[in-house]
Amino acid sequence: MPLGFHADTNTGRLGGLRGRLWCMALLAIVCTLLLATSTISASVEAFRKARAGAENMRQFTAIFDAAILISAERGPANSLMTASEPDRIEARRKWHDFVEDTDAALDELVRRDIPDAMIDDVRSRLAAARALITAIGLQRRTGRRYEEIRTAIGAMFVARDSYRAIIEWQSGEILKQDPDLAAIVVQGIALSDLREYAGRLGSYLIAPMAAGTAVTPQDIAASSAARGRLLEVWDLLGPSFALPGSAPIRLKRQEAEETFMRQGLALIDQQMAIGGRTGQFSLDGVNFTQRYVALMQPLGEMRNIYLTGIVDQFETGEREALFALYRNGLTTVVLLMLVLGLVAAVQIYILRPLLKGAQAVIALADERPAGLVSAPGEVREIRRLYGAIGILAQRLDERALLTRQLETLAATDGLTGLFNRRALEQHAATVAVDGARYLILLDIDHFKSINDRYGHPFGDTVLRAIADLMRHSAGPSGHLARFGGEEFALLLESGSLAEAACAARKLRKVIENCPLKAPDGGKLTVTASLGVAGGAHQTWSDILVHADAALYRAKDAGRNRVRVFRTPV
């Protein structure tokens, strides 16, 4: 029978009283844990869902911000392609400002872990369109041809169409997490399409205006198609689509109906009628663009009000869920404190003389201090037992100290103080295969040239500095190791592959932004290439091979970058 539950045969009633007290304590603990499990689990799940929803909506808004900037870039581009020589410099400046805003928005998407291939495709198509616009902007106004301008405008359409893949990807990610957000996703896409088709409708007049030619049947057909799609989306976004109780968006829709749907479309019809055959329009391209963009403004404002309201709604839900989690957690802690107080009272006033020795032995078995102190009034036999436990604790401490010293020497890299490769792989082997594991492999770029130029002692300094930066960046959530030479590893046992990639990008920036003082007194900027791989249901050897492959991709791509190995679906 375990020591902690050994009854004193000289006091038969002690066993019955102790059993009853423990049953009462256990019953209270079980009831409290059941209540805590149901309450806290529900609160945690509600907060997790609310936080994920708020983050999804923030990312959703960022994606549509970039979409609207790509569409809006056509306005100053059209002005540049139709501007006269005196106005060309100002038109080019305004266009470049829009280009910078668009590129900044795309850079923000990179930081939000949108697939690189999608963003690169949009960038390449934008670059092609901008090259055509730049070439036209350098020509004299009289030398600009209809086909060149129409091709440039079409290239901007293609760039915007390629961006739709990003919108669809993000929409799919949101709906996979919460299918109930389908209406919000559809309405957000519709608002973006509304602004896009409105802009296209005006762009079909730019080439004839700039070249002084009549509107072609091809332009008329394309304009009619864009107008039809615009009206379909407008009908879809009827008054009932607005947020409940959202007066601002209903008022903005009324303004958009009066300003754009009447005046804006009337302006298109007017210019089509005036210059449709002769090419003699009443407005030049610059003035037409300025007036038309101003009439489209309520469409963009309506979208902004809607998305801002959605984000505010989800962030409010996130705050309320967090407050509920805190409230339920505090209630659970208070209940547990009461139960633990009851157990402590039982331990101190009833079972303490019998259980102190057992607890001390268990603590020693768990490699914890025994914490055994004799109290006045204890019987001689208990004092003798405590003395024997004290001798045992001393011997175990001596053995534990020697064991820790040997384990430290076997598992630690002597130069950096990090785990060595063997220690990290032993730790990785203890993690369940069905659990999520993510490995970041880091290789210092051109480390051999550092050794060759400054010597191996400074190379060791670089390795220690990189190890310190990795400790600071990874924090307590990851396991660090030096794999050998100039290669390091960071093992994460939670999160997602996207979060691991984000951690790798953060680490790359930290290293790049922390130059070292070289022996010659100058500043040496050290960079690193990183490979990321991992996930659930993957063996350690597969994760290691995948991370190594991603690392070599980063090197082949020019170093100082992060590459992620994504398992084919």
Side-chain angles (χ1 to χ4, degrees), residues 409-530:
L409 291 174
T412 305
D413 175 61
L415 178 63
T416 62
L418 302 178
F419 280 161
N420 56 30
R421 178 169 182 168
R422 176 175 173 272
L424 184 66
E425 291 184 338
Q426 285 180 341
H427 173 77
T430 64
V431 181
V433 175
D434 58 350
R437 296 177 295 177
Y438 305 95
L439 179 63
I440 300 174
L441 287 183
L442 180 149
D443 189 273
I444 302 175
D445 295 333
H446 307 297
F447 183 73
K448 183 177 182 303
S449 65
I450 296 175
N451 277 335
D452 293 343
R453 180 177 180 182
Y454 299 107
H456 289 277
F458 181 71
D460 292 345
T461 299
V462 173
L463 293 174
R464 285 192 291 268
I466 295 300
D468 291 339
L469 290 174
M470 292 184 71
R471 286 192 190 95
H472 183 269
S473 180
S477 61
H479 301 277
L480 294 168
R482 182 185 176 195
F483 256 36
E486 65 271 20
E487 188 168 304
F488 295 81
L490 171 58
L491 175 63
L492 303 174
E493 297 178 8
S494 62
S496 63
L497 185 60
E499 291 172 343
C502 184
R505 295 188 181 100
K506 174 184 175 183
L507 180 57
R508 183 196 67 78
K509 292 180 180 179
V510 167
I511 294 173
E512 185 182 24
N513 294 332
C514 294
L516 302 177
K517 184 177 181 180
D520 58 6
K523 292 291 185 179
L524 174 65
T525 297
V526 180
T527 62
S529 302
L530 298 94

Side-chain angles (χ1 to χ4, degrees), residues 130-168:
R130 289 167 179 172
L132 296 174
I133 294 168
T134 299
I136 295 171
L138 294 174
Q139 299 174 6
R140 295 183 63 83
R141 185 173 183 179
T142 56
R144 297 172 186 172
R145 296 186 300 168
Y146 167 84
E147 287 297 335
E148 293 176 343
I149 298 173
R150 192 178 189 281
T151 300
I153 293 173
M156 288 297 292
F157 290 164
V158 171
R160 176 58 176 79
D161 289 340
S162 68
Y163 188 83
R164 193 172 187 86
I166 295 178
I167 297 176
E168 293 173 351

Side-chain angles (χ1 to χ4, degrees), residues 208-232:
M209 285 182 174
T213 61
V215 181
T216 65
Q218 186 178 7
D219 286 330
I220 295 174
S223 178
S224 298
R227 189 185 189 113
R229 180 57 179 155
L230 172 71
L231 295 177
E232 290 177 1

Side-chain angles (χ1 to χ4, degrees), residues 29-171:
I29 291 174
V30 169
C31 292
T32 302
L33 290 178
L34 289 174
L35 176 63
T37 300
S38 61
T39 303
I40 298 298
S41 297
S43 298
V44 169
E45 178 60 23
F47 174 66
R48 185 201 64 78
K49 185 175 181 180
R51 182 173 61 180
E55 180 57 30
N56 280 333
M57 288 304 102
R58 285 190 286 267
Q59 179 148 319
F60 199 49
T61 300
I63 285 178
F64 281 118
D65 286 342
I68 206 71
L69 287 172
I70 294 174
S71 299
E73 188 179 319
R74 289 198 304 267
N78 291 342
S79 296
L80 175 60
M81 290 188 292
T82 57
S84 60
E85 280 68 14
D87 299 328
R88 184 184 301 172
I89 295 177
E90 179 64 17
R92 184 178 292 109
R93 184 191 64 77
K94 290 182 178 179
W95 179 54
H96 285 167
D97 288 344
F98 273 79
V99 169
E100 291 178 357
D101 291 342
T102 302
D103 291 341
L106 293 176
D107 291 339
E108 175 64 23
L109 297 189
V110 173
R111 290 188 287 272
R112 289 181 175 272
D113 294 323
I114 305 300
D116 294 340
M118 293 183 180
I119 298 177
D120 291 342
D121 181 53
V122 174
R123 288 187 191 275
S124 64
R125 296 181 186 277
L126 275 174
R130 289 167 179 172
L132 296 174
I133 294 168
T134 299
I136 295 171
L138 294 174
Q139 299 174 6
R140 295 183 63 83
R141 185 173 183 179
T142 56
R144 297 172 186 172
R145 296 186 300 168
Y146 167 84
E147 287 297 335
E148 293 176 343
I149 298 173
R150 192 178 189 281
T151 300
I153 293 173
M156 288 297 292
F157 290 164
V158 171
R160 176 58 176 79
D161 289 340
S162 68
Y163 188 83
R164 193 172 187 86
I166 295 178
I167 297 176
E168 293 173 351
W169 177 85
Q170 182 60 47
S171 301

Side-chain angles (χ1 to χ4, degrees), residues 138-286:
L138 294 174
Q139 299 174 6
R140 295 183 63 83
R141 185 173 183 179
T142 56
R144 297 172 186 172
R145 296 186 300 168
Y146 167 84
E147 287 297 335
E148 293 176 343
I149 298 173
R150 192 178 189 281
T151 300
I153 293 173
M156 288 297 292
F157 290 164
V158 171
R160 176 58 176 79
D161 289 340
S162 68
Y163 188 83
R164 193 172 187 86
I166 295 178
I167 297 176
E168 293 173 351
W169 177 85
Q170 182 60 47
S171 301
E173 292 295 308
I174 291 175
L175 295 180
K176 281 194 294 186
Q177 296 182 29
D178 190 350
D180 294 337
L181 300 179
I184 292 176
V185 170
V186 170
Q187 291 165 0
I189 294 174
L191 283 165
S192 179
D193 287 346
L194 186 66
R195 171 61 176 79
E196 170 63 14
Y197 285 110
R200 292 194 180 197
L201 194 60
S203 294
Y204 288 120
L205 284 169
I206 295 300
M209 285 182 174
T213 61
V215 181
T216 65
Q218 186 178 7
D219 286 330
I220 295 174
S223 178
S224 298
R227 189 185 189 113
R229 180 57 179 155
L230 172 71
L231 295 177
E232 290 177 1
V233 175
W234 180 257
D235 291 338
L236 173 65
L237 298 173
S240 62
F241 96 99
L243 291 171
S246 178
I249 196 168
R250 287 197 295 271
L251 293 175
K252 186 58 64 175
R253 188 183 187 279
Q254 294 174 2
E255 180 183 344
E257 183 171 10
E258 174 63 30
T259 303
F260 178 77
M261 297 304 293
R262 294 181 183 176
Q263 299 179 35
L265 295 182
L267 180 62
I268 295 291
D269 295 338
Q270 179 191 52
Q271 295 304 308
M272 280 283 190
I274 294 174
R277 295 185 177 180
T278 63
Q280 299 297 319
F281 297 90
S282 62
L283 295 173
D284 58 22
V286 174

Side-chain angles (χ1 to χ4, degrees), residues 304-464:
N304 292 339
I305 293 173
Y306 177 75
L307 292 179
T308 300
I310 290 294
V311 171
D312 289 344
Q313 185 181 43
F314 275 83
E315 289 181 342
T316 299
E318 181 183 18
R319 289 190 295 271
E320 291 175 350
L322 181 60
F323 177 75
L325 178 59
Y326 285 154
R327 183 184 63 241
N328 294 332
L330 180 60
T331 302
T332 301
V333 169
V334 170
L335 291 175
L336 286 175
M337 291 291 290
L338 291 175
V339 173
L340 291 176
L342 174 62
V343 175
V346 172
Q347 292 282 353
I348 293 172
Y349 297 110
I350 300 176
L351 303 177
R352 182 176 181 181
L354 297 177
L355 296 179
K356 282 178 64 177
Q359 291 170 344
V361 173
I362 293 173
L364 293 177
D366 292 339
E367 299 182 354
R368 294 183 287 109
L372 191 61
V373 179
S374 296
E378 290 179 343
V379 298
R380 180 179 58 184
E381 288 79 7
I382 291 179
R383 289 198 300 270
R384 291 177 60 185
L385 174 63
Y386 289 174
I389 293 175
I391 295 173
L392 176 62
Q394 182 179 357
R395 298 291 187 269
L396 290 176
D397 286 343
E398 293 172 356
R399 180 175 297 179
L401 177 60
L402 179 59
T403 301
R404 287 194 297 270
Q405 291 174 345
L406 294 176
E407 289 176 347
T408 300
L409 291 174
T412 305
D413 175 61
L415 178 63
T416 62
L418 302 178
F419 280 161
N420 56 30
R421 178 169 182 168
R422 176 175 173 272
L424 184 66
E425 291 184 338
Q426 285 180 341
H427 173 77
T430 64
V431 181
V433 175
D434 58 350
R437 296 177 295 177
Y438 305 95
L439 179 63
I440 300 174
L441 287 183
L442 180 149
D443 189 273
I444 302 175
D445 295 333
H446 307 297
F447 183 73
K448 183 177 182 303
S449 65
I450 296 175
N451 277 335
D452 293 343
R453 180 177 180 182
Y454 299 107
H456 289 277
F458 181 71
D460 292 345
T461 299
V462 173
L463 293 174
R464 285 192 291 268

